[in-house]
Amino acid sequence: MSTLKNRLRMTCPYCGKFLGMRTSERMSPVYIRGIAECSNCTFRGHVSIEIEDIAYPSNHPGWQKLDIPLTPSPHLQAQINKGFQMPAENHAATH
Ligand SMILES: [Zn+2]
């Protein structure tokens, strides 16, 4: 399991300082929309974040039965076509 080192960060297009999320709404399991606010100037902008595809599959219990509208990325699909084995479900995982 890799260690996540970086959080998602976006900067203000006008002054370059960090944007914070003022509001956010989960529109679907793969799509969040909200308003980002600059930490320095008065800028605010609508932001949408969407997971586009599966870069590497989950080992969450039952993940293949969940109704998540994602398909393998072209890179992952090429690996599957070459015989890549999906990870075993991790039954020890908790929510
Ligand atoms: Zn700014």
Side-chain angles (χ1 to χ4, degrees), residues 38-69:
C38 180
S39 61
N40 182 54
C41 72
T42 57
F43 173 75
R44 290 179 193 162
H46 284 99
V47 173
S48 59
I49 300 171
E50 183 174 17
I51 302 172
E52 297 176 356
D53 58 27
I54 303 169
Y56 194 87
S58 173
N59 66 353
H60 185 76
W63 74 273
Q64 289 173 313
K65 300 180 191 79
L66 297 175
D67 185 23
I68 306 295

Side-chain angles (χ1 to χ4, degrees), residues 26 28-32 49-52 68-70:
R26 190 173 188 249
S28 84
V30 298
Y31 182 66
I32 292 172
I49 300 171
E50 183 174 17
I51 302 172
E52 297 176 356
I68 306 295
L70 293 175

